[in-house]
Amino acid sequence: MARELARERARIAGEVHDAAGHGFSTIAMQAGLALLVLEESPEQARESLRAIRETSLGALAQLRAALDLIDPGEPVASRDDLPALIDGVRAAGLPVDMEPGEPAVPSHLRGTVYRVVRESLTNVIRHAGPTRALVRVADDPCGFVLEVADRGVGVTEAGEGRGLAGMRERVRNAGASSPRARGTAAASR
């Protein structure tokens, strides 16, 4: 019983971390951009403020959903809209290339893929410095492959936090094999 309780607490903590971490990282990036362009480009600053508002509302909704896992008042909606996630990150100022443009993710992997991409892009925003990110998915007869990469030059000695551990656990729970390279995970059929 104690082991199950600890596992559930860790899962909920991971959900809260993911929702809050992504939202706050994106908001911080947008606020920095707004401050940078406020005098020279007020319209771009307004766009950043709009993105902050949208991101904060989305992060609050995700945080509520994670907290509903502890005390569910009503069913929690599934978060698996990968294109909407990518669009939100782009709107926040991080250029993201997605290959293919509208990836076909098997239904049983959608939630996991969404959460892994969200955590990966959050880490790019927080740690990589100015860069561009790539999200690539491939669904072939051997399995489903997800790759998230960046060309940033951020901090190299950052330790592993709750996000990476949670991401690894989600991938493992989805039946994935060991990553073939850093940032790549594959799930067998």
Side-chain angles (χ1 to χ4, degrees):
M1 175 73 170
R3 183 177 292 213
E4 290 174 20
L5 180 61
R7 194 172 325 156
E8 183 63 9
R9 288 178 67 182
R11 186 181 69 77
I12 293 169
E15 291 289 332
V16 170
H17 167 273
D18 291 352
H22 177 73
F24 287 133
S25 293
T26 303
I27 289 167
M29 184 172 68
Q30 278 299 331
L33 179 61
L35 287 171
L36 185 67
V37 301
L38 183 62
E39 303 278 327
E40 298 167 12
S41 181
E43 185 52 39
Q44 188 174 0
R46 276 196 256 334
E47 286 179 35
S48 290
L49 291 171
R50 285 186 205 106
I52 288 169
R53 183 176 187 280
E54 286 182 36
T55 301
S56 62
L57 291 172
L60 284 171
Q62 290 178 23
L63 188 56
R64 280 188 207 102
L67 294 174
D68 283 346
L69 295 171
I70 299 169
D71 182 24
E74 53 191 68
V76 177
S78 172
R79 294 288 300 171
D80 61 8
D81 190 352
L82 192 57
L85 172 67
I86 301 296
D87 288 344
V89 172
R90 287 175 180 149
L94 176 66
V96 180
D97 299 316
M98 188 159 67
E99 297 176 6
E102 294 196 25
V105 178
S107 60
H108 70 285
L109 295 176
R110 285 186 188 141
T112 300
V113 168
Y114 178 91
R115 286 172 175 85
V116 167
V117 170
R118 179 179 64 190
E119 178 64 23
S120 298
L121 293 177
T122 298
N123 287 343
V124 171
I125 290 168
R126 290 180 67 205
H127 304 296
T131 189
R132 206 176 173 86
L134 167 69
V135 176
R136 180 182 300 145
V137 299
D139 193 9
D140 64 37
C142 296
F144 181 83
V145 178
L146 169 64
E147 177 185 12
V148 181
D150 71 81
R151 293 186 177 92
V153 293
V155 180
T156 56
E157 57 277 337
E160 180 172 313
R162 184 182 300 271
L164 291 176
M167 192 175 2
R168 186 178 299 108
E169 183 67 20
R170 281 190 181 91
V171 169
R172 189 175 20 255
N173 289 339
S177 63
S178 298
R180 285 182 256 186
R182 186 174 179 191
T184 304
S188 60
R189 300 221 150 261

